[in-house]
Amino acid sequence: MAASWASTNRSCAPVRVALVREEVRELLRREPSSEEHEAIRELWKRHSIAEDNRDLPGLLSTLTEDCVYELVQTGHRWEGHEGAARFYTGLLGGFPDIVFQLTNIVIGPQGVCEEADVTGTHEAEWLGVAPTGELLAWKVTIFFPWDREQGLFRGERVYTAGLPLPG
């Protein structure tokens, strides 16, 4: 079975790479405008404030219906508003005192990329990991892809460092 999947995957790989390259080219072609920059910035601020206030409806209002949340290292994915709600319910339940301290941010016509130092006490199970009761500290880089037509984020691609995640 694995050999058959591998050979199928190899035959599709050039097509997928070409599609990804074209998607990236489209993103690079986006011309910035001050109005769009302000809209993206304001939406990111609304999203961040809603997260700080544990306001799930407020968070979801900043996302497209088909949004995707992804922990890149592990491949965990949550799709749509239901998936985003599960992601936040799990994260905020697992680390109820979680704090994001922004250390860097880039805003452009493709979306937002932020870096933050994060702390939180692991008080409940998250991603299948039993709570430790420990105060943990880690770093994140999060990309919020911008949907130009809807004026909303298409989710988050999250990269972590210093937080042991299940594979």
Side-chain angles (χ1 to χ4, degrees), residues 5-158:
W5 179 85
S7 62
T8 303
N9 189 39
R10 272 195 301 273
S11 67
C12 294
V15 173
R16 178 67 187 136
V17 168
L19 290 174
V20 169
R21 285 185 182 154
E22 187 52 38
E23 290 169 5
V24 170
R25 284 186 188 111
E26 155 55 31
L27 290 173
L28 287 170
R29 288 184 198 113
R30 286 189 177 178
E31 290 294 325
S33 75
S34 57
E35 296 82 16
E36 185 174 46
H37 183 275
E38 185 63 19
I40 295 168
R41 183 175 168 269
E42 288 304 313
L43 187 67
W44 177 84
K45 286 168 41 179
R46 272 186 37 219
H47 183 93
S48 296
I49 290 167
E51 188 172 278
D52 287 347
N53 291 333
R54 309 308 192 244
D55 173 10
L56 192 55
L59 278 164
L60 296 178
S61 75
T62 67
L63 303 169
T64 61
E65 288 288 330
D66 63 346
C67 64
V68 176
Y69 273 68
E70 180 179 10
L71 292 177
V72 178
Q73 293 100 313
T74 67
H76 285 90
R77 288 174 57 93
W78 297 263
E79 297 181 4
H81 277 189
E82 179 190 334
R86 282 194 329 272
F87 169 80
Y88 277 111
T89 300
L91 177 66
L92 298 174
F95 300 91
D97 62 347
I98 197 167
V99 175
F100 291 82
Q101 291 294 321
L102 189 65
T103 59
N104 200 358
I105 189 167
V106 176
I107 300 173
Q110 299 83 5
V112 175
C113 186
E114 74 170 41
E115 294 177 320
D117 292 330
V118 183
T119 57
T121 307
H122 189 194
E123 293 186 11
E125 184 252 310
W126 188 57
L127 301 177
V129 178
T132 64
E134 294 179 57
L135 178 64
L136 303 177
W138 66 97
K139 295 183 178 298
V140 294
T141 300
I142 306 171
F143 177 57
F144 299 77
W146 173 248
D147 185 300
R148 186 171 251 179
E149 287 72 40
Q150 296 184 59
L152 297 168
F153 295 123
R154 291 192 329 259
E156 297 183 20
R157 289 180 52 89
V158 181

